Amino acid sequence: DAMVIQNPRYQVTQFGKPVTLSCSQTLNHNVMYWYQQKSSQAPKLLFHYYDKDFNNEADTPDNFQSRRPNTSFCFLDIRSPGLGDAAMYLCATSRDMTTVYEQYFGPGTRLTVT
Amino acid sequence: GQSLEQPSEVTAVEGAIVQINCTYQTSGFYGLSWYQQHDGGAPTFLSYNALDGLEETGRFSSFLSRSDSYGYLLLQELQMKDSASYFCAVMNRDDKIIFGKGTRLHILP
């Protein structure tokens, strides 16, 4: 089955220690998104890629970076995690920019910062 | 700016019908989506309305009134597995979606 895969499902890192979360998709979708979701809150868009075109949200901290080496993979790098960065990180895809309303989400990576 | 309002919690009885409302304020509105998210799970796309009216998909229906900046999700024949959070999300001319804060649906047996 075509899907969005995120690894790891759970990640523990230390305060200030860089961490990378990964996402892969077999849907062959052009657009990939990274969201941050804290408990009982809405998913908050961090950035998205339309193909190789990177789009950063204005309020996404510089501490968060992303890479998309090819269509299938996308990475979220947190350079110096703080306690406030503990959250669920969701990767999502959409076929293209005309179908943004229909996004396919991975299971998420729950990040704990100690 | 843009904003979405939906109730934080709704409670209904198994087998009944429940309606979750969403009002929005945004520029360049294209359409309204609905997503379901179970505890610990990922959001799952349910429906999208770009035009006024009712869209039906099995037990779930979604409605949009562009003139009123209002939409709702209607769940019929409620089942215990429908206990989840439901998010409305607007798609606007920025080519992204903005999620509401979500409505937690509690279903009583």
Side-chain angles (χ1 to χ4, degrees):
Chain A
D1 284 342
M3 55 176 52
V4 181
I5 301 160
Q6 291 188 244
N7 286 304
R9 295 290 309 277
Y10 300 90
Q11 176 74 58
V12 180
T13 191
Q14 293 177 335
F15 182 94
K17 185 174 181 181
V19 66
T20 295
L21 310 181
S22 70
C23 176
S24 64
Q25 54 121 346
T26 60
L27 296 160
N28 203 32
H29 283 177
N30 282 328
V31 193
M32 294 187 78
Y33 309 83
W34 279 105
Y35 290 89
Q36 179 193 65
Q37 186 177 29
K38 297 188 176 181
S39 181
S40 301
Q41 294 185 21
K44 179 181 179 300
L45 182 64
L46 296 174
F47 22 60
H48 73 275
Y49 278 92
Y50 176 48
D51 198 8
K52 294 183 179 180
D53 183 23
F54 176 72
N55 297 273
N56 197 34
E57 292 301 296
D59 58 354
T60 298
D62 292 340
N63 197 25
F64 291 82
Q65 304 286 322
S66 184
R67 297 169 281 135
R68 189 180 186 186
N70 55 53
T71 301
S72 301
F73 286 87
C74 197
F75 300 96
L76 171 62
D77 301 307
I78 308 176
R79 293 193 294 188
S80 182
L83 297 179
D85 297 327
M88 176 74 87
Y89 290 88
L90 295 163
C91 174
T93 71
S94 65
R95 190 184 69 224
D96 53 45
M97 294 306 288
T98 66
T99 56
V100 170
Y101 57 86
E102 183 175 355
Q103 296 186 13
Y104 293 78
F105 284 80
T109 294
R110 183 165 296 282
L111 179 68
T112 300
V113 182
T114 62
Chain B
Q2 42 200 357
S3 66
L4 294 94
E5 296 289 334
Q6 53 181 130
S8 59
E9 292 186 75
V10 171
T11 299
V13 178
E14 189 177 16
I17 299 172
V18 71
Q19 178 174 313
I20 299 173
N21 298 320
C22 175
T23 58
Y24 59 86
Q25 193 171 15
T26 186
S27 55
F29 176 81
Y30 281 175
L32 188 71
S33 295
W34 287 92
Y35 285 78
Q36 179 192 62
Q37 186 177 29
H38 287 99
D39 283 348
T44 303
F45 172 77
L46 293 176
S47 67
Y48 176 67
N49 294 68
L51 303 174
D52 286 357
L54 190 68
E55 296 276 346
E56 299 182 56
T57 308
R59 295 188 296 114
F60 294 4
S61 303
S62 56
F63 172 83
L64 177 67
S65 169
R66 296 175 70 104
S67 60
D68 295 323
S69 297
Y70 164 74
Y72 65 73
L73 180 69
L74 190 73
L75 294 82
Q76 302 183 73
E77 300 173 19
L78 284 171
Q79 302 175 11
M80 297 304 293
K81 68 178 181 179
D82 298 328
S83 295
S85 292
Y86 293 84
F87 294 88
C88 59
V90 295
M91 177 179 171
N92 60 23
R93 63 184 175 204
D94 291 336
D95 290 333
K96 59 189 177 187
I97 61 173
I98 306 298
F99 285 89
K101 293 183 178 180
T103 298
R104 188 166 185 87
L105 175 62
H106 302 280
I107 299 176
L108 303 176

